[in-house]
Amino acid sequence: MSVESVTWERHDRRSRLLRFAFALGGLIVVLASWQYLELDLRDFGGATAAFADLATRMFPPHLEYAPEIVAPLIETIHIAAVGTMAAFALSIPVAYLSAENLTPNRLTYALGKVIVTVSRSVHTIIWALVFVIMFGPGALAGTIAIAVRSVGFLGKLLGEELEEIDAGQQEAISSTGANRFKTLLYGVFPQIKPAVVGLTIYRWDINVRGATILGFVGAGGIGVHLYTAVDSFAWRTVAIIVLAILFVVILSEGVSAYARTKAQ
Amino acid sequence: MVAETEQPRSTWHRPTTFYDHRVKWGIYVALAAFLAWSLWGILAGVGLSRFTEGLGYGVTLLQTMYPPRTEAGDLVRLGDRLLESVAMAMVATAIGVTISIPVAFGAAQNLVSRPIYLLSRAIISISRAIDGLIVAIIAVMAFGFGPLAGIIAISFKTVGFFSKLLSEDVEDINMGSIESVESTGASRFQTLVYGVVPQIVPRFVGLTVYRWDINIRASAIIGIVGAGGIGQLLMTAYSRYEFDYVASILLGIILVVLLAEYVSAVVRRRVQ
Amino acid sequence: MLETHDLRKVYPTGDEALTSISTTIEGKEFVAMIGPSGAGKSTFVRCINRLTEPTSGTVELDGTDLTALSSAELRDARRNIGMIFQEYNLVERLTVMENVLSGRLGYVSNWAAFRRKFPQEDIELAYEILELVGLGGMENKRVDELSGGQRQRVGIARAVVQNPKILLADEPTSSLDPETSHDVMELLTDIATDHDIPVLINIHEVDLAVGYADRLLGLHDGELVFDGTPEELTDDTHGVIYRGEELTTTEAKRAIPAGGRR
Ligand SMILES: Nc1ncnc2c1ncn2[C@@H]1O[C@H](COP(=O)(O)OP(=O)(O)O)[C@@H](O)[C@H]1O
Ligand SMILES: [Mg+2]
């Protein structure tokens, strides 16, 4: 009894020391970063004032400009929808390849993992830079960028979902004499359906946000207009565009939350 | 009563999550129509040749990217800017997390009054809805080019993310242990320190590391709009068509991002 | 009629789960296979429909050697073998009706399966069987809302709707409470007589086996060490099955089958 409590305390002391070292290390790194960036606390003091100044310049938002941003907003929504749809279609085979229990062999498994890693390790905006060169400026490049980035996200998470399916359900269906297709349809798909629907909608929601910035690199959507407005210091126009983006994003978040509860 | 003997039933319809089958089909048709409209919106006027040519350009692009540039001077500049990105992520995480603490408590329904709750929720919603690059592009105009604008943008994004998740944990706090501390006659501050803080510290550390990982990714691209870090170098090389250098930069970014993901995963596993 | 000859299974790990099992099951026999955990009971039933691939030996169902079939032929043969699982293995997110109808998947086209469109006779049969297993009116419930006993009834319904030539069950009562276990055993005996098919069930509760089965098979360490009626199961033979004791010679004649009972 007493021996137990002694070892327990010793253990706790060591982990407390470790925790302290971790916190101290973190603090030192942050301070060193501060030094490296040659930051000054006064800059941040100025930040509040600068933002207050910006806010007054933005007011009142340029309402007359509103009709001109409807079309680019719709284009933004189109980019998100088509990009997500394409990613969804492509992610199913990718998930199948990268699920350890279903992938045909080691080579296909590696292929699945490579696709997922490459897609995920590059930000949408960088994919957009690449596709603007390939397909020219415009919504097409943005859509492809959204799709390519989302394939990794959906492929990874759906693959993990596939790895966790109950093999018993699959086996029971195949023991009735069902072929592979029917076994996938009845024994596998119902198990992952909520995840498929939920994750796709969730990614669509992320993509709506992502599509608002593609215009910064010429890949279509509302971002083009925002970029121009900021560049010409038209702050009241910036305000109306940001408000419109807020509206669309919050709306899509609501739709996404509602649809995901339906998919349970 | 009609003598309704057990008729063999010969049809069966799957029950639907929607109210009835007509509503279900209505929703499916509307969704299909919306997707078709979107598809048309993106692909109208885009010929197949645009795709095939694009793929051809892709091959050319890959050829100009290979081999990536490895001259010493370029690599030093690359390393310098990568370090700048990492430092930006560090500072922004620290600032963002610090600001998040009061916001998270303000956004916990069980701890504060209604107006403070709504204000905190509004801050969170706005921060989460607006992409970091949008904040950055505005911050660049307000503060000029460089890491300061990037740090402000990333900190702003951190607040929305971090406060939301942290406030959920605060709301989940076991009220029993708060009451047991309160019942000893502790003040409100003491209750916070002894009743609330111990319950959320592990989660807090885990979330911080997780957000740091996300911030590394963000700081690597935020320079695309001039807000400091490696992204600025990327944009310069890109606009000069120095694609071999772009390749080196991308490889550098991917390396740092994967490394951060790994570190974050290891630390989070140890904390939880 | 099901006949196995020298059925043997060695797992890739080197475990010899079945040494050489030969036996025959026919008519509307209700056969219970008993034996300690790890004796090879599951392996035996799974080798029959080749959910587990036997290492050697043959399995004949009405004269067809199942071990020699191609995978397409095996699928057709599996339609004649109903299987019931310990953990029910129902598709949790589908309705009771969809689970039952999945027993008919071997008979419908891919496209019909995709649209959940089954022939009228199948649906009538499914309703009838749901009534039989005591789940009338439950067809639209999702399986994950059901109790263990109800789930196993759905599992039985899925197997029976196949109109199988034999019913296999791997520990169908192990996840159930004692009372429900009796209900399930009763249901299975009724099915054997009503549908005129043999039923082979693995079970480790000996009293349940003795109470319901026409015939017992005793498995020990992958070997068939007993084959007889419940009345023939003495304390000694029980010891053979569960503890691997040697038998006295007179009993040995009765207990150890000579190439399967006829
Ligand atoms: N998939 C498998 N891989 C390797 N060995 C297995 C496997 N399944 C069963 N075994 C082994 O085969 C033997 C018989 O197992 P099993 O048929 O499950 O017995 P029972 O159903 O009577 O409990 C056991 O020793 C078990 O460890
Ligand atoms: Mg078993």
Side-chain angles (χ1 to χ4, degrees), chain A residues 12 43 54 58 69 74 84 88 132-133 149 160 167-168 174 178 218 233 242 245 257-258 261:
Chain A
D12 189 49
D43 296 337
L54 262 189
M58 285 183 178
I69 55 177
I74 289 176
T84 309
F88 169 70
V132 164
I133 295 183
R149 173 63 183 80
E160 283 168 8
S174 69
F233 299 99
V242 170
I245 289 175
Y258 175 75
T261 57

PDB file of all heavy atoms in Angstrom, chain A residues 12 43 54 58 69 74 84 88 132-133 149 160 167-168 174 178 218 233 242 245 257-258 261:
ATOM      1  N   ASP A  12       4.467  11.081 -10.638  1.00  0.00           N
ATOM      2  CA  ASP A  12       3.803  12.353 -10.816  1.00  0.00           C
ATOM      3  C   ASP A  12       4.824  13.496 -10.850  1.00  0.00           C
ATOM      4  O   ASP A  12       4.713  14.401 -11.658  1.00  0.00           O
ATOM      5  CB  ASP A  12       2.811  12.575  -9.676  1.00  0.00           C
ATOM      6  CG  ASP A  12       1.940  13.791  -9.918  1.00  0.00           C
ATOM      7  OD1 ASP A  12       1.386  13.893 -11.032  1.00  0.00           O
ATOM      8  OD2 ASP A  12       1.849  14.635  -9.036  1.00  0.00           O
ATOM      9  N   ASP A  43       3.836  48.047 -32.297  1.00  0.00           N
ATOM     10  CA  ASP A  43       3.120  47.737 -33.545  1.00  0.00           C
ATOM     11  C   ASP A  43       1.717  47.236 -33.250  1.00  0.00           C
ATOM     12  O   ASP A  43       0.747  47.591 -33.910  1.00  0.00           O
ATOM     13  CB  ASP A  43       3.865  46.648 -34.333  1.00  0.00           C
ATOM     14  CG  ASP A  43       5.230  47.132 -34.769  1.00  0.00           C
ATOM     15  OD1 ASP A  43       5.404  48.367 -34.854  1.00  0.00           O
ATOM     16  OD2 ASP A  43       6.107  46.288 -35.011  1.00  0.00           O
ATOM     17  N   LEU A  54      -9.858  51.753 -40.003  1.00  0.00           N
ATOM     18  CA  LEU A  54     -10.407  51.005 -41.129  1.00  0.00           C
ATOM     19  C   LEU A  54     -11.920  50.909 -41.019  1.00  0.00           C
ATOM     20  O   LEU A  54     -12.645  51.106 -41.996  1.00  0.00           O
ATOM     21  CB  LEU A  54      -9.834  49.585 -41.130  1.00  0.00           C
ATOM     22  CG  LEU A  54      -8.665  49.290 -42.054  1.00  0.00           C
ATOM     23  CD1 LEU A  54      -8.399  47.792 -42.051  1.00  0.00           C
ATOM     24  CD2 LEU A  54      -8.995  49.757 -43.463  1.00  0.00           C
ATOM     25  N   MET A  58     -14.791  52.041 -43.625  1.00  0.00           N
ATOM     26  CA  MET A  58     -15.673  51.060 -44.258  1.00  0.00           C
ATOM     27  C   MET A  58     -17.144  51.422 -44.107  1.00  0.00           C
ATOM     28  O   MET A  58     -18.000  50.838 -44.749  1.00  0.00           O
ATOM     29  CB  MET A  58     -15.445  49.676 -43.644  1.00  0.00           C
ATOM     30  CG  MET A  58     -14.165  49.015 -44.102  1.00  0.00           C
ATOM     31  SD  MET A  58     -14.073  47.373 -43.393  1.00  0.00           S
ATOM     32  CE  MET A  58     -12.535  46.795 -44.120  1.00  0.00           C
ATOM     33  N   ILE A  69     -22.078  42.270 -57.135  1.00  0.00           N
ATOM     34  CA  ILE A  69     -21.385  41.112 -56.567  1.00  0.00           C
ATOM     35  C   ILE A  69     -22.248  39.853 -56.549  1.00  0.00           C
ATOM     36  O   ILE A  69     -21.788  38.796 -56.145  1.00  0.00           O
ATOM     37  CB  ILE A  69     -20.848  41.392 -55.140  1.00  0.00           C
ATOM     38  CG1 ILE A  69     -21.967  41.849 -54.248  1.00  0.00           C
ATOM     39  CG2 ILE A  69     -19.703  42.367 -55.179  1.00  0.00           C
ATOM     40  CD1 ILE A  69     -21.505  42.057 -52.819  1.00  0.00           C
ATOM     41  N   ILE A  74     -22.455  33.966 -56.894  1.00  0.00           N
ATOM     42  CA  ILE A  74     -23.023  32.726 -57.431  1.00  0.00           C
ATOM     43  C   ILE A  74     -21.899  31.863 -58.010  1.00  0.00           C
ATOM     44  O   ILE A  74     -21.881  30.648 -57.825  1.00  0.00           O
ATOM     45  CB  ILE A  74     -24.107  33.053 -58.485  1.00  0.00           C
ATOM     46  CG1 ILE A  74     -25.328  33.617 -57.758  1.00  0.00           C
ATOM     47  CG2 ILE A  74     -24.475  31.820 -59.287  1.00  0.00           C
ATOM     48  CD1 ILE A  74     -26.436  34.072 -58.674  1.00  0.00           C
ATOM     49  N   THR A  84     -16.670  20.117 -54.960  1.00  0.00           N
ATOM     50  CA  THR A  84     -16.991  19.078 -53.978  1.00  0.00           C
ATOM     51  C   THR A  84     -17.538  17.836 -54.667  1.00  0.00           C
ATOM     52  O   THR A  84     -17.182  16.706 -54.318  1.00  0.00           O
ATOM     53  CB  THR A  84     -18.029  19.601 -52.967  1.00  0.00           C
ATOM     54  OG1 THR A  84     -17.573  20.853 -52.457  1.00  0.00           O
ATOM     55  CG2 THR A  84     -18.213  18.637 -51.819  1.00  0.00           C
ATOM     56  N   PHE A  88     -15.903  14.248 -54.484  1.00  0.00           N
ATOM     57  CA  PHE A  88     -16.662  13.127 -53.932  1.00  0.00           C
ATOM     58  C   PHE A  88     -16.528  11.906 -54.843  1.00  0.00           C
ATOM     59  O   PHE A  88     -16.212  10.800 -54.394  1.00  0.00           O
ATOM     60  CB  PHE A  88     -18.125  13.527 -53.780  1.00  0.00           C
ATOM     61  CG  PHE A  88     -19.027  12.389 -53.464  1.00  0.00           C
ATOM     62  CD1 PHE A  88     -18.973  11.785 -52.219  1.00  0.00           C
ATOM     63  CD2 PHE A  88     -19.917  11.895 -54.399  1.00  0.00           C
ATOM     64  CE1 PHE A  88     -19.788  10.714 -51.923  1.00  0.00           C
ATOM     65  CE2 PHE A  88     -20.736  10.826 -54.114  1.00  0.00           C
ATOM     66  CZ  PHE A  88     -20.674  10.232 -52.872  1.00  0.00           C
ATOM     67  N   VAL A 132      -4.107  27.626 -62.474  1.00  0.00           N
ATOM     68  CA  VAL A 132      -4.254  28.850 -63.264  1.00  0.00           C
ATOM     69  C   VAL A 132      -3.258  28.824 -64.417  1.00  0.00           C
ATOM     70  O   VAL A 132      -3.570  29.222 -65.542  1.00  0.00           O
ATOM     71  CB  VAL A 132      -4.072  30.107 -62.384  1.00  0.00           C
ATOM     72  CG1 VAL A 132      -3.821  31.339 -63.238  1.00  0.00           C
ATOM     73  CG2 VAL A 132      -5.304  30.328 -61.515  1.00  0.00           C
ATOM     74  N   ILE A 133      -2.067  28.332 -64.154  1.00  0.00           N
ATOM     75  CA  ILE A 133      -1.094  28.209 -65.239  1.00  0.00           C
ATOM     76  C   ILE A 133      -1.576  27.207 -66.275  1.00  0.00           C
ATOM     77  O   ILE A 133      -1.511  27.437 -67.480  1.00  0.00           O
ATOM     78  CB  ILE A 133       0.271  27.741 -64.694  1.00  0.00           C
ATOM     79  CG1 ILE A 133       0.853  28.799 -63.774  1.00  0.00           C
ATOM     80  CG2 ILE A 133       1.233  27.443 -65.848  1.00  0.00           C
ATOM     81  CD1 ILE A 133       2.216  28.439 -63.262  1.00  0.00           C
ATOM     82  N   ARG A 149      -7.794  19.389 -53.873  1.00  0.00           N
ATOM     83  CA  ARG A 149      -7.500  19.451 -52.447  1.00  0.00           C
ATOM     84  C   ARG A 149      -8.472  18.603 -51.633  1.00  0.00           C
ATOM     85  O   ARG A 149      -8.102  17.971 -50.636  1.00  0.00           O
ATOM     86  CB  ARG A 149      -7.538  20.908 -51.968  1.00  0.00           C
ATOM     87  CG  ARG A 149      -7.416  21.102 -50.467  1.00  0.00           C
ATOM     88  CD  ARG A 149      -6.077  20.611 -49.938  1.00  0.00           C
ATOM     89  NE  ARG A 149      -5.969  20.733 -48.485  1.00  0.00           N
ATOM     90  CZ  ARG A 149      -6.484  19.885 -47.604  1.00  0.00           C
ATOM     91  NH1 ARG A 149      -7.155  18.838 -48.037  1.00  0.00           N
ATOM     92  NH2 ARG A 149      -6.337  20.079 -46.317  1.00  0.00           N
ATOM     93  N   GLU A 160     -10.509   5.786 -43.663  1.00  0.00           N
ATOM     94  CA  GLU A 160     -10.475   5.393 -42.246  1.00  0.00           C
ATOM     95  C   GLU A 160     -11.816   4.804 -41.823  1.00  0.00           C
ATOM     96  O   GLU A 160     -11.880   3.859 -41.050  1.00  0.00           O
ATOM     97  CB  GLU A 160     -10.135   6.610 -41.372  1.00  0.00           C
ATOM     98  CG  GLU A 160      -8.657   6.951 -41.425  1.00  0.00           C
ATOM     99  CD  GLU A 160      -8.323   8.309 -40.813  1.00  0.00           C
ATOM    100  OE1 GLU A 160      -9.215   8.939 -40.208  1.00  0.00           O
ATOM    101  OE2 GLU A 160      -7.176   8.734 -40.953  1.00  0.00           O
ATOM    102  N   ALA A 167     -16.692  -6.379 -40.277  1.00  0.00           N
ATOM    103  CA  ALA A 167     -16.556  -7.388 -41.333  1.00  0.00           C
ATOM    104  C   ALA A 167     -17.658  -8.433 -41.236  1.00  0.00           C
ATOM    105  O   ALA A 167     -18.011  -9.071 -42.221  1.00  0.00           O
ATOM    106  CB  ALA A 167     -15.192  -8.048 -41.248  1.00  0.00           C
ATOM    107  N   GLY A 168     -18.232  -8.605 -40.037  1.00  0.00           N
ATOM    108  CA  GLY A 168     -19.288  -9.595 -39.853  1.00  0.00           C
ATOM    109  C   GLY A 168     -20.498  -9.313 -40.737  1.00  0.00           C
ATOM    110  O   GLY A 168     -21.082 -10.227 -41.313  1.00  0.00           O
ATOM    111  N   SER A 174     -22.402 -11.839 -47.836  1.00  0.00           N
ATOM    112  CA  SER A 174     -21.810 -12.694 -48.863  1.00  0.00           C
ATOM    113  C   SER A 174     -22.176 -14.157 -48.625  1.00  0.00           C
ATOM    114  O   SER A 174     -22.219 -14.940 -49.559  1.00  0.00           O
ATOM    115  CB  SER A 174     -20.297 -12.497 -48.946  1.00  0.00           C
ATOM    116  OG  SER A 174     -19.697 -13.010 -47.800  1.00  0.00           O
ATOM    117  N   ALA A 178     -24.683 -13.448 -52.236  1.00  0.00           N
ATOM    118  CA  ALA A 178     -24.605 -12.167 -52.946  1.00  0.00           C
ATOM    119  C   ALA A 178     -23.208 -12.004 -53.554  1.00  0.00           C
ATOM    120  O   ALA A 178     -22.223 -12.438 -52.958  1.00  0.00           O
ATOM    121  CB  ALA A 178     -24.874 -11.023 -51.978  1.00  0.00           C
ATOM    122  N   GLY A 218      -6.485  34.735 -59.145  1.00  0.00           N
ATOM    123  CA  GLY A 218      -7.093  34.715 -60.478  1.00  0.00           C
ATOM    124  C   GLY A 218      -7.885  33.466 -60.787  1.00  0.00           C
ATOM    125  O   GLY A 218      -8.132  33.151 -61.951  1.00  0.00           O
ATOM    126  N   PHE A 233      -8.144  50.635 -52.373  1.00  0.00           N
ATOM    127  CA  PHE A 233      -8.548  51.261 -51.114  1.00  0.00           C
ATOM    128  C   PHE A 233     -10.015  51.669 -51.102  1.00  0.00           C
ATOM    129  O   PHE A 233     -10.380  52.650 -50.469  1.00  0.00           O
ATOM    130  CB  PHE A 233      -7.669  52.487 -50.807  1.00  0.00           C
ATOM    131  CG  PHE A 233      -6.223  52.137 -50.654  1.00  0.00           C
ATOM    132  CD1 PHE A 233      -5.325  52.324 -51.700  1.00  0.00           C
ATOM    133  CD2 PHE A 233      -5.756  51.597 -49.444  1.00  0.00           C
ATOM    134  CE1 PHE A 233      -3.997  51.994 -51.552  1.00  0.00           C
ATOM    135  CE2 PHE A 233      -4.424  51.269 -49.317  1.00  0.00           C
ATOM    136  CZ  PHE A 233      -3.531  51.461 -50.359  1.00  0.00           C
ATOM    137  N   VAL A 242     -17.311  41.832 -47.915  1.00  0.00           N
ATOM    138  CA  VAL A 242     -17.080  40.983 -46.736  1.00  0.00           C
ATOM    139  C   VAL A 242     -18.405  40.584 -46.090  1.00  0.00           C
ATOM    140  O   VAL A 242     -18.603  39.432 -45.689  1.00  0.00           O
ATOM    141  CB  VAL A 242     -16.160  41.700 -45.726  1.00  0.00           C
ATOM    142  CG1 VAL A 242     -16.120  40.944 -44.403  1.00  0.00           C
ATOM    143  CG2 VAL A 242     -14.753  41.813 -46.293  1.00  0.00           C
ATOM    144  N   ILE A 245     -19.913  37.871 -48.139  1.00  0.00           N
ATOM    145  CA  ILE A 245     -19.222  36.596 -47.893  1.00  0.00           C
ATOM    146  C   ILE A 245     -19.695  36.003 -46.571  1.00  0.00           C
ATOM    147  O   ILE A 245     -20.015  34.815 -46.479  1.00  0.00           O
ATOM    148  CB  ILE A 245     -17.693  36.805 -47.887  1.00  0.00           C
ATOM    149  CG1 ILE A 245     -17.210  37.100 -49.311  1.00  0.00           C
ATOM    150  CG2 ILE A 245     -16.981  35.581 -47.327  1.00  0.00           C
ATOM    151  CD1 ILE A 245     -15.737  37.434 -49.393  1.00  0.00           C
ATOM    152  N   ALA A 257     -25.110  22.023 -41.304  1.00  0.00           N
ATOM    153  CA  ALA A 257     -25.440  21.448 -39.993  1.00  0.00           C
ATOM    154  C   ALA A 257     -26.769  20.708 -40.053  1.00  0.00           C
ATOM    155  O   ALA A 257     -26.907  19.594 -39.548  1.00  0.00           O
ATOM    156  CB  ALA A 257     -25.503  22.554 -38.940  1.00  0.00           C
ATOM    157  N   TYR A 258     -27.751  21.309 -40.742  1.00  0.00           N
ATOM    158  CA  TYR A 258     -29.063  20.686 -40.844  1.00  0.00           C
ATOM    159  C   TYR A 258     -28.984  19.365 -41.614  1.00  0.00           C
ATOM    160  O   TYR A 258     -29.497  18.334 -41.187  1.00  0.00           O
ATOM    161  CB  TYR A 258     -30.046  21.636 -41.537  1.00  0.00           C
ATOM    162  CG  TYR A 258     -31.394  21.033 -41.801  1.00  0.00           C
ATOM    163  CD1 TYR A 258     -32.304  20.858 -40.767  1.00  0.00           C
ATOM    164  CD2 TYR A 258     -31.755  20.613 -43.077  1.00  0.00           C
ATOM    165  CE1 TYR A 258     -33.544  20.277 -40.995  1.00  0.00           C
ATOM    166  CE2 TYR A 258     -32.987  20.028 -43.322  1.00  0.00           C
ATOM    167  CZ  TYR A 258     -33.879  19.863 -42.275  1.00  0.00           C
ATOM    168  OH  TYR A 258     -35.104  19.285 -42.499  1.00  0.00           O
ATOM    169  N   THR A 261     -27.489  16.419 -39.676  1.00  0.00           N
ATOM    170  CA  THR A 261     -28.331  15.718 -38.701  1.00  0.00           C
ATOM    171  C   THR A 261     -29.280  14.770 -39.424  1.00  0.00           C
ATOM    172  O   THR A 261     -29.631  13.720 -38.903  1.00  0.00           O
ATOM    173  CB  THR A 261     -29.178  16.693 -37.857  1.00  0.00           C
ATOM    174  OG1 THR A 261     -29.974  17.479 -38.741  1.00  0.00           O
ATOM    175  CG2 THR A 261     -28.325  17.610 -37.016  1.00  0.00           C
TER     176      THR A 261
END
